[in-house]
Amino acid sequence: MDKLSIGIDLGGTTIKMAIVDPKGNIVEKWEIPTDTSNNGRNISQDIADSLKMKLENANLELKDIEGIGIGAPGFINMENGFVYHAVNVGWENYPLKDDLESKTGLEVIVDNDANIAALGEMWKGAGKQASDLICITLGTGIGGGIISNGTILHGTNGMAGEIGHITSIVDGGADCNCGKKGCLETIASATGISRIAMEGLDQNPTSVLNKTLGKGMKVSAEDVFNAAGKGDAWAIEVIDSITHHLGLAIANMANVINPSRIVIGGGVSRAGDLLMVPLKNEFSKYALPRVQDGADFAIASLGNDAGVIGSARLLSLKSQN
C-alpha cells in the first residue's frame, strides 16, 4: 500500500492537520489550538500527542506514514527546518524539524506557510498543476509563494516571494510590521484597505462607509467592497488605488517569473470580480504583452485546505528527487 503523508499548517491561533493520500486527497483532517505560552515550546508535543491519537483511532502505524510536512510562519532555514523567528507563535532560534522528529518518530520537512499554500493550490487547486505559478494571499498581511519549473522558489536564504514587502510608495507611506515604510502590505492587505478607507472619510462625507464608522465600528475591507458594489464613489476610489499598486507589483513579478497562473487567495479574494476586474486591468498596463498572454488569473479554490495539502506535497516532492 502506498504510504500516507501528514500535512500540517501552523497558524498563530490554530494548527490544522490532515492525513493525505499520495494523490493529494484528504483522508481525514482536524485542528488543535496553538499554545503560544512559554514561547511556543509546547507546540511540537501538542502536535505529536494529537497525531498519535488520530493514528491510533484510524488503526494506522508509523510504518504507514511517509512523514510530516509542515508549513510554519516566520523566517526558516529550509535545509534544516530551523525557525529563526516566528512572531505569531513566539519562536526564536527554534529547531522545529529536530524537535518534531524526536517527538513523533517521523521524518519532518519544514517550509514557509505562504509557500505551502502555493504548493497546495498548484497541486490540487486553482493552480491546475501549472509548473510556473505565483500565489498571493491577501489577508491581514500579504503572503506570496512562487513555483518555478514545478519547484518552490526559496532564494538564497528562504526569502523569495515576499511580495508584501515590495516598496510601493517611495519616500513615505505607512509603517509596515517589517520595519520599512510604504510596503505593498500596508496598502493592499485587508488591514491596509481598512486604513486607507478610514483616512479619507473626512474628505468624503457622503460615503456610506461613514455610517459604519458612526456606529463606532472600524471600516473593514469587506465593508469597502460591499460599498463599492453599491456604487459608493469613495469605496470605488479606494479599490482603484489598491488594485493599481497590487497590479503593478504583480506585473513586475510576472515580467521576471513569466508564470502561467496567478492565484489570488486570502480573505480579500472573496470580493470576487470587485477585486479581480480592476486588478487585471492594472496588471495589463504594466505586464509585457507576451507575459500577459501567458498568465491566467484565478481565485484560490482550496481555502483552509491549501496549507495541509501543500505541506503533504513536500513529502512526495522529496521522494521524486
Side-chain angles (χ1 to χ4, degrees):
M1 184 182 78
D2 288 335
K3 290 189 176 184
L4 301 166
S5 296
I6 305 300
I8 300 176
D9 185 5
L10 174 60
T13 305
T14 61
I15 302 169
K16 299 175 182 65
M17 305 174 67
I19 301 171
V20 182
D21 73 17
K23 294 183 178 179
N25 301 308
I26 293 177
V27 176
E28 186 171 359
K29 64 179 178 179
W30 69 101
E31 62 182 51
I32 60 175
T34 306
D35 182 359
T36 58
S37 65
N38 193 28
N39 293 323
R41 299 300 174 184
N42 302 322
I43 289 174
S44 290
Q45 190 61 59
D46 289 346
I47 290 172
D49 292 343
S50 179
L51 180 57
K52 180 181 178 182
M53 185 182 303
K54 278 293 178 183
L55 293 180
E56 288 176 353
N57 291 343
N59 292 317
L60 293 169
E61 300 178 16
L62 290 185
K63 65 181 178 62
D64 301 315
I65 306 300
E66 182 77 24
I68 296 171
I70 180 168
F75 303 140
I76 301 166
N77 184 316
M78 308 302 174
E79 295 296 323
N80 60 19
F82 190 86
V83 181
Y84 294 110
H85 195 50
V87 176
N88 290 344
V89 295
W91 286 339
E92 190 162 355
N93 296 324
Y94 183 65
L96 174 58
K97 173 182 168 67
D98 291 346
D99 193 29
L100 196 53
E101 285 184 340
S102 69
K103 288 179 168 61
T104 62
L106 292 166
E107 178 187 10
V108 174
I109 301 177
V110 183
D111 210 315
N112 177 269
D113 53 357
N115 288 339
I116 57 111
L119 197 57
E121 287 291 344
M122 181 199 79
W123 191 23
K124 298 294 289 185
K128 295 185 176 180
Q129 299 189 354
S131 59
D132 295 282
L133 172 146
I134 297 172
C135 183
I136 298 155
T137 305
L138 306 174
T140 304
I142 295 181
I146 300 170
I147 309 293
S148 180
N149 198 26
T151 303
I152 297 173
L153 193 64
H154 290 119
T156 191
N157 60 3
M159 295 298 290
E162 291 288 349
I163 185 174
H165 300 291
I166 290 175
T167 301
S168 292
I169 297 177
V170 180
D171 298 328
D175 292 333
C176 183
N177 289 332
C178 75
K180 297 198 305 170
K181 288 179 177 287
C183 291
L184 181 64
E185 184 169 297
T186 68
I187 298 166
S189 65
T191 310
I193 295 168
S194 170
R195 176 187 61 79
I196 292 168
M198 289 196 296
E199 285 180 351
L201 284 179
D202 285 346
Q203 290 76 44
N204 295 275
T206 61
S207 172
V208 298
L209 294 173
N210 281 292
K211 296 179 180 178
T212 302
L213 202 61
K215 295 176 182 177
M217 297 187 297
K218 190 174 182 180
V219 174
S220 68
E222 184 179 5
D223 292 330
V224 174
F225 283 102
N226 287 339
K230 296 173 183 176
D232 185 85
W234 171 234
I236 291 171
E237 187 175 335
V238 170
I239 293 171
D240 285 345
S241 175
I242 68 104
T243 53
H244 162 73
H245 289 287
L246 185 59
L248 173 60
I250 295 173
N252 284 336
M253 287 184 71
N255 285 341
V256 175
I257 304 299
N258 192 199
S260 60
R261 300 287 284 180
I262 298 170
V263 178
I264 309 294
V268 175
S269 70
R270 290 196 292 268
D273 285 346
L274 288 170
L275 169 72
M276 298 300 283
V277 170
L279 177 58
K280 290 176 187 177
N281 287 339
E282 292 298 318
F283 174 81
S284 68
K285 293 178 184 177
Y286 305 108
L288 289 167
R290 279 184 58 79
V291 170
Q292 182 184 344
D293 289 344
D296 289 327
F297 276 81
I299 292 177
S301 61
L302 295 180
N304 289 334
D305 291 342
V308 292
I309 292 174
S311 294
R313 180 63 170 165
L314 293 172
L315 276 304
S316 57
L317 285 177
K318 181 174 181 180
S319 65
Q320 291 173 11
N321 293 334

